[in-house]
Amino acid sequence: MMDINLKKHIEYLLCIKIQTMQSVSGGDISEAYHLQSETERFFCKVNHGSNAHDMFKAEKAGLVAIANTKTIAVPRVFLCEALDTGAFLVMEYIEPKRPMEPDFEQLGHQLAGLHLNGTSDAFGFSIPNFIGSLPQSNSAHSNWPAFYVQERLVPQLKLAKESGKLDDSEIPVEDKLLKTCQNLFPNTKPSLVHGDLWSGNYLISTNGTPYLIDPAVYYGHHEVDLAMTRLFGGFGASFYNAYQEHFAPIGNEKERTDIYQLYYLLVHLNLFGNSYKASITEILQRYF
């Protein structure tokens, strides 16, 4: 249950009286609560880790970046503050419903709108952020293959090596990673991507509005979001059909999907353990 002093602090900052406070399940990293006042509902995350404030500031920056495109909805952020130990984040509460085919279709169109709304000349983001609880570097690159190898694959491979989950013989040299990516990646313009778009990171509100949540945003190739949607089951045909109305096929999609999923599989290996290793080594052996 939420600490009573934190409850009072939130009431003070928002000038409200919290009438009900309910723990919400589903998060792997932070505690989550549904707060209700007489007139409003809020979603609150609490994390007591040493990097909690940086995580929540990065999450807020990602939500603001998506909101500023005016292409797809995100929850409004009300508070993002440090605690003596950890931090908390208070957002608008979105009442979800079970998605139907028309909802997936709208999500596909609006995600494509986000990806078409490029405002950066470089790949990366203004600040580093996080993928789950792991740091995600976003240093700027003018070249997409170089960004993906140096800012995505190499850090996760290094982390897996340091923890003993992969050994030297299983990890390709950087030049080999780069050569494969240069051969398979298109000459693309930077798109703002959600960065961690699995089925737990979107909502369809009760009025049918799609929302993106828990972003790990950066400017990259738009196909990385699609690759993540397909990693753990997919979003349904109407989503992909709607999305693909906005992007013509250019070839090598299957190969790029595998290589983009490699990043997320490495993240899962580093966060959750060796059940993801077989998929990783299969991709590494096939392409590198």
Side-chain angles (χ1 to χ4, degrees):
M1 184 56 66
M2 180 184 288
D3 180 80
I4 189 65
N5 291 325
L6 176 56
K7 174 179 175 287
K8 290 179 179 178
H9 187 54
I10 292 171
E11 289 178 326
Y12 171 76
L13 292 173
L14 294 179
C15 299
I16 60 169
K17 179 68 176 176
I18 297 172
Q19 296 182 325
T20 62
M21 184 170 55
Q22 182 179 1
S23 179
V24 178
S25 63
D28 294 319
I29 298 168
S30 301
E31 302 165 22
Y33 301 93
H34 174 201
L35 312 178
Q36 187 158 356
S37 72
E38 185 175 343
T39 59
E40 294 180 88
R41 293 194 288 175
F42 304 90
F43 182 73
C44 179
K45 290 183 177 183
V46 182
N47 188 293
H48 297 290
S50 60
N51 62 356
H53 195 209
D54 288 336
M55 287 175 57
F56 287 154
K57 285 191 295 184
E59 181 174 347
K60 177 183 176 181
L63 291 169
V64 170
I66 294 171
N68 285 344
T69 70
K70 297 180 168 46
T71 56
I72 189 166
V74 294
R76 179 184 172 193
V77 178
F78 294 101
L79 298 171
C80 180
E81 290 206 359
L83 298 167
D84 289 340
T85 56
F88 70 96
L89 182 70
V90 178
M91 296 177 283
E92 172 187 10
Y93 179 81
I94 308 300
E95 181 72 37
K97 70 164 188 169
R98 182 178 179 181
M100 307 297 286
E101 286 300 304
D103 303 318
F104 279 119
E105 183 178 353
Q106 187 176 8
L107 177 62
H109 285 303
Q110 292 188 357
L111 182 68
L114 174 68
H115 291 164
L116 289 166
N117 196 278
T119 58
S120 175
D121 295 326
F123 298 97
F125 195 54
S126 56
I127 58 171
N129 51 20
F130 294 82
I131 181 79
S133 59
L134 298 179
Q136 180 171 262
S137 175
N138 292 314
S139 298
H141 290 253
S142 60
N143 177 276
W144 169 239
F147 175 90
Y148 189 72
V149 169
Q150 294 172 17
E151 308 298 324
R152 293 293 174 265
L153 294 182
V154 168
Q156 293 299 325
L157 289 166
K158 181 180 178 183
L159 189 59
K161 177 184 174 182
E162 289 172 348
S163 64
K165 295 182 177 73
L166 292 174
D167 60 43
D168 274 331
S169 66
E170 296 170 305
I171 298 175
V173 297
E174 186 174 327
D175 285 350
K176 200 166 187 180
L177 293 170
L178 188 58
K179 184 176 180 180
T180 296
C181 291
Q182 287 171 335
N183 288 337
L184 291 173
F185 290 4
N187 182 16
T188 186
K189 293 181 179 179
S191 296
L192 185 66
V193 297
H194 176 280
D196 191 16
L197 193 55
W198 66 290
S199 61
N201 281 348
Y202 78 90
L203 298 170
I204 305 297
S205 73
T206 51
N207 70 4
T209 301
Y211 282 79
L212 297 183
I213 60 174
D214 292 342
V217 304
Y218 61 97
Y219 286 91
H221 185 209
H222 61 91
E223 288 180 8
V224 297
D225 275 346
L226 293 188
M228 184 54 170
T229 68
R230 292 184 168 108
L231 185 54
F232 300 117
F235 278 30
S238 62
F239 166 82
Y240 297 104
N241 290 338
Y243 184 91
Q244 287 161 2
E245 290 181 22
H246 305 271
F247 291 95
I250 58 174
N252 295 320
E253 281 84 2
K254 172 62 170 67
E255 291 82 359
R256 286 193 299 277
T257 295
D258 290 342
I259 294 171
Y260 293 158
Q261 287 179 347
L262 174 61
Y263 174 62
Y264 296 111
L265 289 166
L266 285 165
V267 168
H268 279 71
L269 175 72
N270 286 321
L271 285 174
F272 306 119
N274 285 334
S275 60
Y276 299 93
K277 183 174 178 177
S279 298
I280 289 166
T281 54
E282 194 276 329
I283 293 172
L284 289 174
Q285 289 169 4
R286 189 188 322 161
Y287 293 106
F288 305 104

